[in-house]
Each structure stands twice: as structure tokens, then as C-alpha cells.
Amino acid sequence: RVAGAIDRMPVIGIPASTTRIEIIDVHMATRRYVEAVAKGCGALPFILPALGDHYDMKAVVARVDGLLLTGGRANIDPVHYGEGPHPADEIRDHDRDATTLPLIRAALDAGVPIFGVCRGIQEINVALGGSLHYRVHEVDGMMDHRMTPGDPVEKIFRLRHHLDMPEDSALASLLGARRVQVNSLHGQGINRLAPGISAEGRAPARRVEAIRVAGPRRCANGGG
């Protein structure tokens, strides 16, 4: 049962990923993200299909109170941060790329809050002009953060490493600690931070795993 009157609940947009289930193409959002919005925040989740330039992004962000950018199986295509395209065997989600990157810029222009998880923070960085390590596990000194296929769920989502935060970071203030243990599942990772983005938390080897857009800003460029 939905707690509270729906017309008073904040609406949180969740851009969908696209995938194929057997022979059917679908737009999807993982259940744990949807339930986090509904049950954890008492908000109304709105799954936004990945239809790219079908949308007027300014109109979309005018209809929501915030955005949750989720993780996803596909990595962001490197063409969006000035590098070569995916190799042929890489999982792709061009529709999500075409939706989230301009949506992020429109949301920041409109002052709509954004919370990104995993791929979500990578999208924010790329949308604002930053770059990624295409395969972070191939960078000297970096951890392999990828999920091992076939692992049980409890192993996949276990705490994997620590995250260190500067004393003056907003994240440290929110969590009441400067070091926490986190789960981490991804193949790409932030390389060059976009202008106006600060590092809020770093994994071992100083790799950025938490970021913040420093105050209200207008986006002047990006990777979409």
C-alpha cells in the first residue's frame, strides 16, 4: 500500500536501461532501485523509458522532483568522452546513453537534484565533460571491480573495499564518518573529473568512487 497521498509525494525519475529478454526488447529498472525510492524515500518512482531525443529534456525535468541514475550492465560508449567506440563484443546501451547524458545537463540547468549510483556517477561525469577509464581493471594498481558471473547474490553484493572521504566533504558529513565499507561492481571508472565536479570519496589506489557537482551550475559542455 502506498503511504500517503500520491499527489503529495515527490516524483523521482529513474531512466531505464534497455536490454533483450529472449526475443523481446525491454526498458527496465532493477527492482532494488525502484523500491529504494518508494519504500526508502517515500517517493513515487517514475521509470523513464530510454527514448533519447524523442523527449524534450527540459519538459521531462519540469515534471520530476529528482532523478536517480542507476547502475546497469552496459558501459557508457567511449565516443561520449572522446575515445574510440566499444569493441564488437562489448554490451551496448546506446538508447540509455542518448537519454541520460542530455537529461543530466537539463536537470542541472533546472536545479533538479540528481543522485547517481555506479554507472550513474560515471554518466554525470561524462555528461559534464569528464572521462572514464574504459577498463579500470587494466589500469596499473587498480582493483578489479567486476562481478564474477555465476556468483551467488550474497557474494555479489557483499562489502568489497573501503571508501575514504575528505573531512570537509558533504558525503562525510552526511554519513558521519570519513571511511566506510562499500559494495562496488563496475568495469569502467572515473578518470578525468569534469569541470565543476569534486571527488567526495576514493577507493584504494586513490580511484574516485564518489563525486559531487559543486553547487548550482549551468552546464556548458558535455559528452552527449
Side-chain angles (χ1 to χ4, degrees), residues 60-101:
V60 172
V61 298
R63 300 288 296 273
V64 299
D65 299 294
L67 293 174
L68 171 61
L69 306 175
T70 71
R73 290 189 65 205
N75 290 322
I76 302 165
D77 196 310
V79 299
H80 295 295
Y81 49 93
E83 299 185 12
H86 282 316
D89 62 347
E90 185 78 25
I91 297 173
R92 295 166 169 78
D93 194 343
H94 295 308
D95 293 329
R96 173 158 170 168
D97 291 348
T99 303
T100 55
L101 299 180

Side-chain angles (χ1 to χ4, degrees), residues 65-159:
D65 299 294
L67 293 174
L68 171 61
L69 306 175
T70 71
R73 290 189 65 205
N75 290 322
I76 302 165
D77 196 310
V79 299
H80 295 295
Y81 49 93
E83 299 185 12
H86 282 316
D89 62 347
E90 185 78 25
I91 297 173
R92 295 166 169 78
D93 194 343
H94 295 308
D95 293 329
R96 173 158 170 168
D97 291 348
T99 303
T100 55
L101 299 180
L103 183 65
I104 288 164
R105 296 191 286 271
L108 290 174
D109 283 350
V112 173
I114 304 172
F115 186 81
V117 180
C118 194
R119 175 187 162 116
I121 73 165
Q122 296 167 18
E123 289 172 327
I124 294 169
N125 190 54
V126 170
L128 300 184
S131 69
L132 306 177
H133 293 296
Y134 175 57
R135 288 178 172 163
V136 72
H137 54 281
E138 295 179 355
V139 179
D140 286 345
M142 296 291 184
M143 293 174 58
D144 188 342
H145 293 255
R146 295 173 297 171
M147 179 178 68
T148 302
D151 277 352
V153 170
E154 58 272 16
K155 184 176 180 181
I156 290 171
F157 292 111
R158 75 190 189 283
L159 298 177

